[in-house]
Amino acid sequence: MDEQAWWYVNGNWVHPHEASISINDVGVLRGYSVFESLRTYHRRPFHLDEHLQRLYRSAQLIELDVTFSFDVLRNIVLESIERNTYEHTTIRLLVTGGISEDGVLPAGQSGLAVMVTPLAERDMERFSRGCKLITTHLTRALPEAKTSNYVSAIRALKEAAQQQASDALFVNEHGHVLESTRSNFFVFHGDTLITPQHEVLIGVTRNVVLELARGRFAVEERPIHLHELGSIDEAFITSSSKEITPVVQINDIVIGNGKPGARTYELEQRFIEMVEQGNF
């Protein structure tokens, strides 16, 4: 972490080592908070408005009153880019319930932190290598909202690390494969691209990938059954930081020939071209 970065915390611009949130904030005491993570390419935010809209939607889902406007938050994000010198960054926005007088219910003003960290150039080796995932039957509360409740995700990631995997896929009681701890999940059956639509956090990058796929591949937004994993041809995950990352193994199942597939590669190239042309 660059300690000289500029972060915004509750009205002040501070360096990371100076950043603090009150222990009486219900985001700290009770985990009552939402967050959003987006990235910049060459100092330009990727689909900023869509990320902010999702942040407000998450807050609405958990009935967290956001006491600042969309435009105020947007301007703070843009100022955070200007104050820092990085070419590519991850920008994390945290909205907390704010100070509580009784240790449970927020008393009024919501809290806000905007944290900026540098990102390296795109790792093409990661794409050529692909990743291994595991499945888990741990459940997450209200997956449609991006909250700071990451207990299930952290437990799943620890389990994945023990099995030399990079992430875990949540599977519900119906045997539906949903999403990973921080990414959306896609599979190819032939030329048909499939991704879940319900019980998942609808990712901004997910929606961009679907738009890139339409007109080239058939697209189905539907549940992916656990028993399907042995017959899929390709798989990948998407997020702001991971972009499109191929999946070459899930548990003991090798996907396709164990290498990133041609259709996934085509989508990745379309995504890179879109970014390089600034079409976002």
Side-chain angles (χ1 to χ4, degrees):
M1 180 185 299
D2 182 1
E3 292 294 346
Q4 296 308 306
W6 286 105
W7 289 6
Y8 178 94
V9 182
N10 291 330
N12 299 306
W13 291 98
V14 298
H15 295 305
H17 66 277
E18 301 168 322
S20 63
I21 296 175
S22 171
I23 199 170
N24 289 320
D25 190 307
V26 288
V28 178
L29 285 173
R30 307 292 176 179
Y32 189 54
S33 58
V34 295
F35 77 101
E36 194 61 39
S37 182
L38 65 136
R39 67 161 297 161
T40 65
Y41 292 97
H42 302 292
R43 303 184 59 76
R44 182 182 171 195
F46 185 75
H47 289 271
L48 172 58
D49 287 356
E50 288 86 344
H51 279 285
L52 296 183
Q53 288 162 5
R54 188 173 66 173
L55 179 71
Y56 279 88
R57 186 163 59 250
S58 293
Q60 184 179 34
L61 285 171
I62 68 168
E63 300 181 30
L64 191 162
D65 294 326
V66 182
T67 53
F68 37 83
S69 71
F70 184 98
D71 287 340
V72 165
L73 183 51
R74 191 178 195 277
N75 287 334
I76 291 171
V77 172
L78 294 176
E79 184 174 350
S80 75
I81 297 171
E82 290 300 315
R83 283 177 175 265
N84 290 282
T85 60
Y86 315 122
E87 192 73 1
H88 310 295
T89 62
T90 292
I91 301 176
R92 291 172 293 158
L93 300 92
L94 175 68
V95 178
T96 70
I99 300 298
S100 172
E101 295 179 356
D102 63 4
V104 180
L105 291 176
Q109 183 77 18
S110 53
L112 173 63
V114 178
M115 298 157 279
V116 181
T117 54
L119 272 178
E121 295 289 338
R122 181 180 293 110
D123 181 7
M124 294 307 297
E125 183 180 343
R126 181 187 65 196
F127 182 88
S128 63
R129 181 177 63 248
C131 69
K132 174 187 175 182
L133 305 179
I134 64 166
T135 58
T136 178
H137 287 279
L138 291 168
T139 59
R140 61 199 315 177
L142 201 61
E144 296 86 356
K146 199 172 178 69
T147 73
S148 297
N149 182 351
Y150 257 50
V151 173
S152 295
I154 291 169
R155 290 178 63 197
L157 285 167
K158 287 184 175 182
E159 184 181 353
Q162 290 169 359
Q163 300 184 44
Q164 290 74 53
S166 59
D167 210 333
L169 293 166
F170 291 107
V171 179
N172 70 11
E173 68 273 19
H174 305 295
H176 297 162
V177 184
L178 302 173
E179 60 187 342
S180 80
T181 61
R182 293 160 294 175
S183 307
N184 289 117
F185 181 59
F186 291 78
V187 302
F188 270 112
H189 272 299
D191 284 335
T192 300
L193 181 63
I194 305 165
T195 191
Q197 187 178 28
H198 302 293
E199 296 183 63
V200 300
L201 180 72
I202 299 298
V204 173
T205 302
R206 170 195 183 272
N207 290 343
V208 170
V209 169
L210 287 176
E211 287 303 311
L212 292 174
R214 289 189 173 97
R216 172 63 182 90
F217 302 107
V219 172
E220 295 180 3
E221 294 182 79
R222 65 159 176 85
I224 298 170
H225 294 271
L226 188 61
H227 63 73
E228 287 184 72
L229 297 182
S231 62
I232 61 177
D233 297 299
E234 301 178 32
F236 61 89
I237 52 177
T238 63
S239 71
S240 293
S241 59
K242 295 180 178 67
E243 299 181 324
I244 297 174
T245 297
V247 176
V248 297
Q249 184 176 343
I250 302 174
N251 297 330
D252 294 327
I253 301 170
V254 175
I255 308 301
N257 63 1
K259 298 179 181 179
R263 301 171 188 86
T264 304
Y265 177 79
E266 180 179 335
L267 281 176
E268 171 71 6
Q269 293 306 301
R270 287 186 172 204
F271 188 92
I272 291 173
E273 181 180 359
M274 173 201 66
V275 168
E276 290 181 347
Q277 293 179 353
N279 295 329
F280 60 87

